[in-house]
């Protein structure tokens, strides 16, 4: 019964109400209804014109058995899976085979071959012709989209200049993709310097809320990886309206433009913060328990994205674990990076909430997870939520501090100070079984290796002091906020093609 619970919960999570039907559910229901009604008609005709007696138990059993027979053969032949996107004629042909096999089954069960033929004659028309007609309607819709649809176009990374984005860009380029970045450069452009001379890389500077920039960036793209937004609890607490605008409204716009321009793959960066606090390890089906506006915006965005998803649009939600590690856009508000910076600069790690559990993942592994999702079989990841991390990196904040102390201790003496009662209440250990099972994803960089790499970068002067304003999400959010409240800026970004 676990599958039933997980099915119902994932439907509810996607915002599909109990009364609404998903596309596949509608197909199965239609086929079952036609099968059963055709069975009753065949039964009546058989009784009236062939046997001249009422139906017997074997005929009734065959009529009922036809429904699971048709469903099972259609399922086995891929009608509700890989053939969902096939041309109408192909689906009709495969369905004709499925109903013929079901009719043979009905003949065996009933021992009445004329009944099975009657049923086949009545049911095959509505079942196969419906697919042919739907195929014609869909082909017309697709041909209007095909102007923009381009499965070989660049991967658009929105927020590609960021901490995770710059790793995703590096990995995508390394795996042969052409990459386009749209970013408003809240933290500068130097994170993109290494890519600028690559002929497979292009950059558009701008706000994803600027519909003309967004449209320009989306043109001809094969996939969009949406990483842009206000990140972390303190930055999101600066101004709730700005946060909802940047994290939810912009996400809605990105989806709408992607869908209308035929960009069929959409990968969204959510966060394991949606789990908030939990005494039990959590997985993708666990209750959500946000303890900040940041986490709530991720939940709202996930719901926006997973509602009313058409068959030919492939949205995947990646709930990232807490990230750590070196990046071209350094972040020191992340607990792992902060501890290393404190250890190297101050010789003192300040631990708040030592017993809190948190899942960690190295930023380069996240870049890899993004590429693996972009390259995955679309049906495998369609409308799926994946926690992205590795159970080997689930640890408490105190254990993390001790690991940093151990590695940094090779360079200088490091103390740990401990305070309880943290402002940040998050506490969760996470299961990553689903992404491991589905995409064979496991971390390649474990905690100590990532810590060592950060220490090396500190020692080689890769970073300014970790308290510099340039690294502060809160300071940069305040700057961006000034522009958000400027009426000229607002009328500009919401004026389509009015540049
Ligand atoms: N770093 C983590 O621990 C972590 C964990 C879970 C989820 N995430 C999510 O991953 C995504 C990326 O995080 P990050 O750490 O790389 O953040 P980041 O702040 O380093 O990068 C975000 C990038 O998006 C850009 N941006 C912001 N708003 C924009 C807009 N409206 N239009 C265009 N560009 C815009 C910024 O300029 C920046 O370059 C975010 O959605 C974040 O919530 C991060």
């Amino acid at each position: 019964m676990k599958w039933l619970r997980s099915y119902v919960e994932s439907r509810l999570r996607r915002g599909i109400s109990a009364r609404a039907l998903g596309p596949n559910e509608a197909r199965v229901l239609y086929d079952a209804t036609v099968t059963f009604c055709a069975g009753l008609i065949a039964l009546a005709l058989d009784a009236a014109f062939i046997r001249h007696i009422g139906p017997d138990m074997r005929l009734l059993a065959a009529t009922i058995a036809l429904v699971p027979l048709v469903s099972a053969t259609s399922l086995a032949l891929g009608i509700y899976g890989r053939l969902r996107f096939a041309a109408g004629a192909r689906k009709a042909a495969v369905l004709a085979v499925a109903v013929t096999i079901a009719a043979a089954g009905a003949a065996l069960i009933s021992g009445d071959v004329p009944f099975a033929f009657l049923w086949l004659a009545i049911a095959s028309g509505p079942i196969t012709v419906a697919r042919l007609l739907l195929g014609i309607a869909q082909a017309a819709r697709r041909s209007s989209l095909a102007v923009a649809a381009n499965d070989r176009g660049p991967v658009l990374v929105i927020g590609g200049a960021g901490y995770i984005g710059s790793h995703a860009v590096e990995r995508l380029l390394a795996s042969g993709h052409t990459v386009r970045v749209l970013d408003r450069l809240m933290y500068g452009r130097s994170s993109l310097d290494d890519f600028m001379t690559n002929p497979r890389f292009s950059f558009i500077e701008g706000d994803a809320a600027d519909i003309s920039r967004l449209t320009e960036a989306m043109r001809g793209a094969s996939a969009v990886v949406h990483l842009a937004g206000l990140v972390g609890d303190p930055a999101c607490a600066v101004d709730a309206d700005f946060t909802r605008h940047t994290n939810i409204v912009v996400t809605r716009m990105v989806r709408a433009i992607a869908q209308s321009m035929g960009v069929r793959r959409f990968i969204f960066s959510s966060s394991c913060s949606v789990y908030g606090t939990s005494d039990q390890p959590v997985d993708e089906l666990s209750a959500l328990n946000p303890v900040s506006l940041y986490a709530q915006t991720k939940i709202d965005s996930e719901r926006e994205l997973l509602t009313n998803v058409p068959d030919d649009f492939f949205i995947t939600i990646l709930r990232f674990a807490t990230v750590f590690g070196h990046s071209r856009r350094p972040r020191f508000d992340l607990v792992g990076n902060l501890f290393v910076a404190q250890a190297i600069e101050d010789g003192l790690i300040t631990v708040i909430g030592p017993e809190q559990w948190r899942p960690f993942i190295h930023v380069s592994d996240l870049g890899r997870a993004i590429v693996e999702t972009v390259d995955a079989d679309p049906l495998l990841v369609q409308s799926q939520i994946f926690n992205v991390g590795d159970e080997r990196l689930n640890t408490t904040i105190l254990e993390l501090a001790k690991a940093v102390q151990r590695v940094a201790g090779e360079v200088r003496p490091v103390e740990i100070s401990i305070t309880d009662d943290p402002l940040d209440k998050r506490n969760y250990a996470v299961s990553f079984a689903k992404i491991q099972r589905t995409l064979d994803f496991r971390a390649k960089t474990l905690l100590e290796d990532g810590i060592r790499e950060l220490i090396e970068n500190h020692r080689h002067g890769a970073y300014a002091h970790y308290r510099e304003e340039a690294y502060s999400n809160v300071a940069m959010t305040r700057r961006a906020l000034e522009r958000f409240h400027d009426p000229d800026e607002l009328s500009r970004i919401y004026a389509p093609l009015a540049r």
Side-chain angles (χ1 to χ4, degrees), residues 51-72:
R51 295 155 60 103
H52 304 292
I53 51 167
D56 64 14
M57 288 313 287
R58 285 181 73 189
L59 271 182
L60 281 172
T63 307
I64 293 166
L66 272 164
V67 175
L69 274 173
V70 168
S71 303

Side-chain angles (χ1 to χ4, degrees), residues 137-297:
Q138 274 169 1
R141 199 172 127 253
R142 276 202 199 107
S143 68
S144 66
L145 281 179
V147 181
N150 179 2
D151 288 343
R152 277 189 293 270
V155 176
L156 171 62
V157 184
I158 307 182
Y163 177 68
I164 297 168
S166 50
H167 271 274
V169 170
E170 181 181 353
R171 290 276 177 175
L172 283 163
L173 288 171
S175 59
H177 289 277
T178 303
V179 179
R180 186 184 292 154
V181 164
L182 171 67
D183 198 299
R184 63 179 295 179
L185 299 181
M186 286 174 72
Y187 305 94
R189 65 170 66 232
S190 60
S191 55
L192 296 176
D193 284 352
D194 289 345
F195 313 124
M196 287 298 184
T197 53
N198 189 320
R200 284 186 285 112
F201 178 80
S202 59
F203 172 59
I204 297 173
E205 180 175 348
D207 191 330
D210 182 338
I211 203 158
S212 53
R213 282 290 153 129
L214 182 59
T215 308
E216 179 189 346
M218 203 72 82
R219 188 158 293 126
S222 56
V224 54
V225 179
H226 181 37
L227 302 169
L230 299 183
V231 183
D233 302 355
C236 289
V238 169
D239 183 294
D241 285 344
F242 185 44
T243 299
R244 287 197 191 93
H245 161 88
T246 310
N247 288 11
I248 306 170
V249 179
V250 170
T251 301
R252 190 184 302 157
M253 281 177 63
V254 175
R255 173 184 166 172
I257 301 289
Q259 224 176 303
S260 67
M261 293 184 72
V263 182
R264 300 199 298 164
R265 300 196 69 152
F266 190 119
I267 290 147
F268 176 68
S269 55
S270 184
S271 166
C272 286
S273 295
V274 297
Y275 300 117
T277 57
S278 173
D279 294 335
Q280 301 295 322
V282 289
D283 66 14
E284 289 82 353
L285 294 172
S286 300
L288 305 184
N289 188 16
V291 292
S292 67
L293 176 59
Y294 171 61
Q296 188 60 53
T297 65

Side-chain angles (χ1 to χ4, degrees), residues 11-61:
R11 265 185 124 257
L12 294 176
R13 171 110 23 88
R14 285 162 59 190
I16 303 175
S17 86
R19 276 172 295 164
L21 283 182
N24 243 355
E25 291 157 354
R27 288 184 189 105
V28 174
L29 190 66
Y30 174 80
D31 292 343
T33 309
V34 170
T35 299
F36 190 63
C37 292
L40 291 179
I41 296 169
L43 206 62
L45 292 176
D46 184 86
F49 298 111
I50 299 172
R51 295 155 60 103
H52 304 292
I53 51 167
D56 64 14
M57 288 313 287
R58 285 181 73 189
L59 271 182
L60 281 172

Side-chain angles (χ1 to χ4, degrees), residues 356-391:
Q356 289 179 332
W357 279 84
R358 206 61 65 74
F360 290 95
I361 185 76
H362 191 269
V363 61
S364 67
D365 279 323
L366 265 198
R368 197 162 49 81
I370 289 170
V371 178
E372 285 178 13
T373 311
V374 168
D375 290 341
D377 175 348
L379 287 178
L380 211 56
V381 295
Q382 185 180 36
S383 295
Q384 293 297 318
I385 298 177
F386 294 100
N387 295 331
V388 188
D390 187 309
E391 277 148 47

